[in-house]
Amino acid sequence: MADIRPFRAYRPARGYENRIPALPYDVMSSAEAREIVRENPLSFLAVDRAETQLPEGTDLYSDEVYAAASNLLHDWIRQELLVQDDAPAFYIYAQTMNGRTQTGIAALASADDYERGIIRKHENTRADKEQDRIRHVDACSAHTGPIFLAYRHNDRISEIQAAHMQEAPVCDFISAGDVRNRVWLVTDPDEVAAIQQAFAGMDSVYIADGHHRCASAVRVASMRRGSADPAQDGEYGHFLCVLFPEDELEIMDYNRVILDAGDLTEEALLERLSEDYEITPAGESQVRPDHKGVVGLYTKSGWYRMELREDPAGAQENSGASDPVAILDVSILEKKVLQPIFGIEDVRTDRRIDFVGGIRGLGELERRVNEGAFCAFAMYPTSIQELFAVADAGLLMPPKSTWFEPKLLSGLFIHTF
């Protein structure tokens, strides 16, 4: 049973909806955040990346940074740039990008559900990144960036969403990347109860994006339980999320760039790759994989299409094995290419590899190689069904396996505790 609750969100005051919400803190560098805040001091990056409020060169993890985040957030609340809704609500949040709309429910999820495995993960977190958000959430006593959760389609939730979306939204604006964002409030007690009951009937929901934010929120809940008023557990024991049905989500490719291959030549690389892949030259024509088992390779001499000679799913089925991680294209590339050919054993720490989200396009892979990288691999996107299968098995995907677009905005909904 998933414990999903309505809440009284702080939201941008009328007229500020297109100025305050911002892309997540972790999709840009500190320098990029500073430039955005310079152009728009009300960007929520001023809170999420509070070093922008301090001199350049400030330690990103100093006490002053977290204090600045808290001070600015609560200043905006006092100035009524951020206004709290009068009654608890579920918030229908629709994002439209490139003609495709995904519609979710902004709500609170339970830290206990994460601990019990009802909220399921598919990737590990890094301690340093987790500690940063622990300090930010704890200093602000607020969840400012929602965790992106996915669930299996539910007819009743969809019916309620569709009915409200016939009405005028409470806000409607365009954000970075030409993404249209619309919000409706669900406050009717019967509809609120119906949404809660629908989620309570689910055995599991899944972290699509935001593993570090989720783990940090759970850690702060654990810290607060030891010292805070137990009556407030409904607030610090629950964290901000937006839940989307799996049939409205799109996962983009997450591509790999080899920065340094040592003495390996392109000719030797192609010879090694041909042991497991059928290699077809494509010249200047970009190779975007069209199904599982296909990889695009870009080198200084042009593009190649790589098609796996053996179907890993079929081989696994014939052997009686069942490992949803092993048949991921990103896992196969690690096993057959990155480890044996380049000697890259841990993609999380090896400085010879970098990752490029699919939103940047294949042209970014060309640029990186043309400017000095050895080669780049364009991957077929991991599917949401593959993500569910890995999480249900209690396993973890290789790092950088999924890239979701559009990104959820921070500062559009804020949960204080």
Side-chain angles (χ1 to χ4, degrees):
M1 294 176 60
D3 177 10
I4 304 298
R5 301 184 180 185
F7 71 113
R8 295 176 61 208
Y10 278 96
R11 298 187 292 113
R14 187 174 298 278
Y16 290 91
E17 298 97 336
N18 64 342
R19 295 190 62 190
I20 291 178
L23 288 172
Y25 75 96
D26 54 356
V27 300
M28 64 190 68
S29 68
S30 182
E32 290 170 328
R34 282 186 181 276
E35 183 59 31
I36 291 171
V37 172
R38 240 191 308 269
E39 294 178 1
N40 174 22
L42 289 180
S43 167
F44 203 77
L45 285 168
V47 174
D48 268 354
R49 297 296 295 259
E51 73 269 15
T52 59
Q53 306 304 296
L54 300 168
E56 292 193 34
T58 299
D59 180 355
L60 301 184
Y61 308 112
S62 66
D63 292 344
E64 290 78 10
V65 170
Y66 302 105
S70 177
N71 291 337
L72 187 59
L73 173 63
H74 292 95
D75 280 348
W76 286 2
I77 289 174
R78 282 190 291 271
Q79 296 169 29
E80 296 188 343
L81 295 173
L82 297 167
V83 180
Q84 189 173 33
D85 288 314
D86 293 332
F90 284 120
Y91 301 84
I92 298 171
Y93 179 23
Q95 295 178 295
T96 303
M97 178 180 180
N98 297 331
R100 183 184 68 84
T101 298
Q102 59 184 34
T103 305
I105 298 286
L108 299 184
S110 166
D112 286 341
D113 280 358
Y114 179 87
E115 300 279 20
R116 290 194 295 259
I118 294 172
I119 297 174
R120 297 184 178 175
K121 61 183 181 179
H122 67 268
E123 80 178 35
N124 269 328
T125 58
R126 279 176 36 192
D128 57 341
K129 293 180 67 175
E130 193 175 318
Q131 185 61 29
D132 167 52
R133 283 303 104 175
I134 288 171
R135 295 181 67 189
H136 191 279
V137 171
D138 195 39
C140 293
S141 287
H143 302 120
T144 58
I147 287 85
F148 190 146
L149 299 182
Y151 63 92
R152 291 184 171 86
H153 176 90
N154 179 274
D155 287 340
R156 184 64 181 121
I157 295 174
S158 294
E159 289 170 4
I160 294 171
Q161 288 176 327
H164 281 274
M165 292 174 71
Q166 300 302 311
E167 307 165 356
V170 296
C171 69
D172 186 348
F173 64 96
I174 304 296
S175 62
D178 200 29
V179 178
R180 185 184 183 189
N181 300 268
R182 291 171 291 163
V183 175
W184 296 262
L185 272 63
V186 180
T187 56
D188 177 80
D190 291 338
E191 291 182 331
V192 166
I195 291 173
Q196 282 194 273
Q197 289 167 9
F199 283 116
M202 299 180 190
D203 293 333
S204 55
V205 295
Y206 302 83
I207 302 174
D209 200 7
H211 283 78
H212 286 91
R213 290 191 295 276
C214 190
S216 301
V218 172
R219 177 61 180 150
V220 171
S222 178
M223 291 161 49
R224 292 290 179 101
R225 283 196 181 103
S227 59
D229 178 0
Q232 293 300 309
D233 182 64
E235 294 301 322
Y236 64 73
H238 288 75
F239 56 84
L240 177 63
C241 66
V242 183
L243 304 105
F244 292 90
E246 96 284 0
D247 53 353
E248 291 192 9
L249 297 179
E250 178 180 42
I251 302 178
M252 299 185 74
D253 44 309
Y254 215 148
N255 303 313
R256 277 75 172 127
V257 178
I258 304 300
L259 304 177
D260 181 3
D263 296 331
L264 186 70
T265 65
E266 182 179 323
E267 182 180 13
L269 171 64
L270 293 172
E271 184 176 345
R272 292 288 302 277
L273 290 173
S274 64
E275 296 174 9
D276 293 297
Y277 293 87
E278 186 74 34
I279 308 296
T280 306
E284 296 182 1
S285 301
Q286 293 181 339
V287 176
R288 183 177 297 281
D290 53 0
H291 60 80
K292 277 182 66 61
V294 174
V295 178
L297 167 66
Y298 183 71
T299 71
K300 289 180 174 60
S301 65
W303 282 93
Y304 296 86
R305 186 178 190 272
M306 300 167 45
E307 182 156 11
L308 198 65
R309 294 183 185 277
E310 179 183 29
D311 174 16
Q316 195 173 111
E317 184 177 336
N318 292 336
S319 69
S322 179
D323 182 348
V325 175
I327 62 173
L328 298 175
D329 278 11
V330 289
S331 298
I332 295 168
L333 191 80
E334 283 193 12
K335 180 181 178 182
K336 295 185 178 295
V337 178
L338 301 184
Q339 294 172 4
I341 298 178
F342 296 103
I344 296 174
E345 297 294 334
D346 188 346
V347 298
R348 294 174 298 177
T349 59
D350 199 306
R351 296 181 179 274
R352 294 171 295 168
I353 189 170
D354 202 1
F355 304 89
V356 177
I359 191 66
R360 295 181 180 270
L362 299 184
E364 177 65 11
L365 302 185
E366 295 176 334
R367 184 189 72 79
R368 298 287 294 273
V369 173
N370 293 341
E371 293 182 0
F374 179 72
C375 69
F377 296 97
M379 307 302 298
Y380 187 70
T382 302
S383 73
I384 192 69
Q385 289 75 26
E386 288 175 321
L387 185 156
F388 283 1
V390 170
D392 285 340
L395 300 173
L396 301 174
M397 291 184 180
K400 313 296 185 182
S401 294
T402 57
W403 182 281
F404 286 88
E405 285 288 345
K407 299 296 184 186
L408 303 185
L409 298 179
S410 294
L412 182 56
F413 311 102
I414 299 163
H415 170 235
T416 60
F417 53 89

